[in-house]
């Protein structure tokens, strides 16, 4: 019996995706719920599970194709048997079955390559412009590249390590890589923020001594009790919740000619994913404990790397915290995440000379803070006040316990 493999629901308002890579080829054995393909949406990569166990049938779409929710992308034969592994090219004696006449890219023109095919081209050093594609619309498949690699000197010519223009001089090669859907969306949203908001950034610095001493004193007990490390983000998230309560405009957004104020703090935290930064949301952070916040952030980080974050987990934030310090950033001007109106940027901690209240000079662990905001909604006084509230809470963490 043949079972259809279709594009699953992708999340609210997401209607299409791009086929990133086929994880199973026709003839491969497939277990129920085993991933058979990966899809790239505007925000995350999603794996398509097999609806039943069996043998992978023909692909209905190619890598790089755009598909809509519910579209047929392949079939699975639940009664079939996996095809035997292909013999090495030198041992093959039977002629291949007739196939549609493949097409070849015009001389010097680099064909469009899927990520998986591009990796094979670079790995085997073949010239994609010299390979005949047997995929849909003449596209190169992984099998085409592998066959060309096994027959270099017959159907293909030696190629440079990357796809290049036919007139490129040695040492001046260029590689053309199609932007992923996620990267395209990031580019559009960042440009939209610059075009539509009156962006401004204000700075302050904060002495991290008290927080660092608190972490050093309680980190072992905290981890033993809650099963998670006590990090800096918990302190800043709690401080941000208090500051947002004091300066509600920073937690608001513009919609048409109205301002929407939120009486809750849904804080987006920027975490690294294979295809770029994603911003999952800590819902109702104002009512969460340090342990809850740290557990949530840790879970987001793991699932971002695995590509298993859900679409709904990255929608609806009211304010963003981005920690460039983990990459070594000293100072930056972060860009807001529309429709939010502000983003707090954290940076690396450096020991710097500071004049103490008694006039002495001491080396203190200092961090620069940056608040980028939409000046259409947030005044300079409000932005400065917000950063001062953050600074006060971090330099005196007891304020976080007694809500000062």
């Amino acid at each position: 019996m043949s079972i259809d493999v279709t594009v699953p629901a992708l999340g609210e308002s997401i209607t299409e995706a791009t086929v990133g890579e086929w994880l199973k080829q026709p003839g491969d054995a497939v277990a129920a719920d085993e991933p058979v393909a990966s899809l790239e949406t505007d925000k995350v990569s999603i794996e398509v599970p097999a609806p039943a166990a069996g043998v992978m049938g023909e692909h209905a779409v190619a890598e790089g194709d755009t598909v809509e929710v519910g579209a047929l992308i392949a079939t699975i034969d639940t009664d079939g048997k996996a095809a035997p592994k292909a013999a090495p090219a030198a041992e093959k004696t039977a002629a291949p079955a007739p196939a549609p006449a493949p097409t070849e890219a015009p001389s010097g023109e680099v064909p469009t390559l899927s990520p998986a095919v591009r990796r094979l081209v670079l790995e085997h050093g073949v010239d994609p412009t010299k390979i005949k594609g047997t995929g849909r619309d003449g596209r190169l498949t992984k099998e085409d590249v592998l066959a060309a690699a096994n027959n270099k000197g017959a159907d293909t010519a030696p190629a440079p390590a990357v796809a290049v223009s036919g007139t490129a001089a040695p040492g001046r090669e260029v590689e053309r890589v199609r932007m992923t859907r996620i990267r395209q969306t990031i580019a559009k949203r960042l440009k939209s923020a610059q075009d539509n908001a009156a962006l401004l950034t204000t700075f302050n610095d904060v002495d991290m001594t008290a927080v660092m001493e608190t972490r050093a004193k309680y980190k072992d007990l905290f981890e033993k009790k809650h099963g998670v490390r006590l990090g800096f983000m918990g302190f800043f998230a709690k401080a941000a919740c208090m500051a947002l309560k004091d300066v509600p405009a920073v937690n608001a957004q513009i919609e048409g000619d109205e301002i929407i104020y939120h009486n809750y703090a849904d804080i987006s935290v920027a975490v690294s994913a294979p295809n770029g930064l994603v911003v999952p949301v800590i819902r109702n952070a104002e009512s969460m404990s340090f342990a809850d916040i740290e557990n949530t952030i840790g879970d987001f980080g793991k699932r971002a790397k695995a590509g298993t974050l859900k679409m709904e987990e990255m929608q609806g934030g009211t304010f963003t915290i981005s920690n460039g310090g983990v990459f070594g950033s000293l100072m930056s001007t972060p860009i807001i995440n529309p429709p939010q109106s502000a983003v707090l940027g954290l940076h690396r901690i450096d020991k710097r000379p500071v004049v103490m209240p008694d006039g002495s000079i001491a080396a203190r662990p200092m961090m620069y803070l940056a608040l980028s905001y939409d000046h259409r909604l947030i005044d300079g006084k409000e932005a400065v006040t917000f950063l001062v509230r953050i600074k006060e809470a971090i330099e005196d963490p007891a304020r976080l316990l007694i809500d000062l």
Side-chain angles (χ1 to χ4, degrees):
M1 183 173 64
S2 180
I3 302 292
D4 291 345
V5 181
T6 60
V7 177
L10 302 172
E12 183 181 356
S13 76
I14 306 298
T15 60
E16 62 180 25
T18 300
V19 180
E21 183 176 4
W22 280 107
L23 306 177
K24 290 292 183 178
Q25 299 301 320
D28 288 351
V30 178
D33 295 324
E34 183 179 8
V36 299
S38 66
L39 302 177
E40 293 179 355
T41 69
D42 290 347
K43 296 185 177 180
V44 293
S45 293
I46 296 175
E47 291 182 339
V48 180
V55 174
M56 193 71 189
E58 292 298 320
H59 299 160
V61 294
E63 293 177 348
D65 284 356
T66 297
V67 291
E68 296 183 350
V69 172
L72 173 69
I73 60 174
T75 58
I76 292 177
D77 183 0
T78 58
D79 300 321
K81 294 183 178 179
K85 295 294 183 181
E91 299 176 8
K92 292 182 180 178
T93 57
T103 60
E104 183 174 354
S107 178
E109 181 180 334
V110 179
T112 300
L113 307 177
S114 71
V117 171
R118 183 169 58 251
R119 284 195 296 270
L120 286 176
V121 167
L122 298 177
E123 179 182 343
H124 292 283
V126 295
D127 185 350
T129 65
K130 304 296 184 181
I131 305 174
K132 295 180 179 180
T134 61
R136 183 179 177 183
D137 298 326
R139 294 191 184 192
L140 295 185
T141 66
K142 289 188 285 188
E143 290 74 18
D144 296 333
V145 177
L146 290 174
N150 288 331
N151 295 281
K152 268 187 176 180
D155 296 331
T156 62
V162 294
V164 300
S165 166
T167 58
R172 293 182 56 82
E173 296 87 357
V174 296
E175 179 186 6
R176 290 185 181 273
V177 179
R178 176 176 290 181
M179 293 176 70
T180 63
R181 181 178 287 268
I182 295 175
R183 177 53 58 184
Q184 291 179 46
T185 299
I186 291 173
K188 290 177 182 177
R189 288 179 64 83
L190 293 181
K191 185 58 179 172
S192 173
Q194 287 186 322
D195 291 342
N196 298 321
L199 290 178
L200 189 64
T201 304
T202 187
F203 300 93
N204 210 321
D205 61 1
V206 58
D207 187 338
M208 296 293 293
T209 300
V211 165
M212 294 176 71
E213 290 176 348
T214 300
R215 287 184 70 224
K217 183 176 181 180
Y218 295 111
K219 65 179 182 179
D220 292 337
L221 288 174
F222 186 88
E223 185 169 4
K224 182 178 180 180
K225 179 176 181 178
H226 300 292
V228 65
R229 293 180 59 195
L230 178 60
F232 290 123
M233 188 61 80
F235 288 92
F236 280 100
K238 296 295 287 186
C241 289
M242 292 176 53
L244 292 172
K245 187 187 301 182
D246 290 345
V247 191
V250 179
N251 200 38
Q253 65 188 54
I254 294 175
E255 188 174 287
D257 58 357
E258 296 180 331
I259 299 174
I260 300 176
Y261 291 95
H262 305 96
N263 62 1
Y264 53 87
D266 283 354
I267 297 183
S268 303
V269 288
V271 296
S272 293
N275 293 322
L277 288 178
V278 293
V279 280
V281 181
I282 305 173
R283 310 283 179 189
N284 293 108
E286 79 287 348
S287 61
M288 297 175 69
S289 67
F290 275 84
D292 291 335
I293 291 174
E294 294 292 355
N295 267 309
T296 301
I297 294 173
D299 178 60
F300 284 158
K302 292 177 183 176
R303 292 194 290 125
K305 292 179 181 177
T308 58
L309 283 173
K310 299 177 181 178
M311 298 297 300
E312 56 267 24
E313 292 177 308
M314 293 181 283
Q315 297 172 336
T318 62
F319 179 74
T320 293
I321 300 178
S322 179
N323 186 6
V326 297
F327 304 111
S329 172
L330 174 65
M331 187 180 293
S332 67
T333 56
I335 299 179
I336 63 173
N337 181 25
Q340 297 174 22
S341 298
V343 53
L344 175 66
L346 311 182
H347 302 90
R348 75 171 189 246
I349 300 171
D350 283 336
K351 279 198 171 183
R352 294 195 288 270
V354 176
V355 179
M356 306 302 292
D358 62 1
S360 62
I361 297 177
R364 309 287 282 190
M366 304 297 292
M367 175 193 288
Y368 286 118
L369 304 177
L371 182 75
S372 290
Y373 59 97
D374 189 345
H375 209 354
R376 297 177 302 166
L377 172 60
I378 303 168
D379 293 332
K381 177 182 177 181
E382 292 173 312
V384 171
T385 300
F386 179 87
L387 276 187
V388 169
R389 293 288 182 272
I390 297 287
K391 177 182 174 71
E392 291 173 343
I394 296 299
E395 292 185 342
D396 185 6
R399 287 173 174 264
L400 299 175
L401 303 178
I402 55 179
D403 195 18
L404 283 180

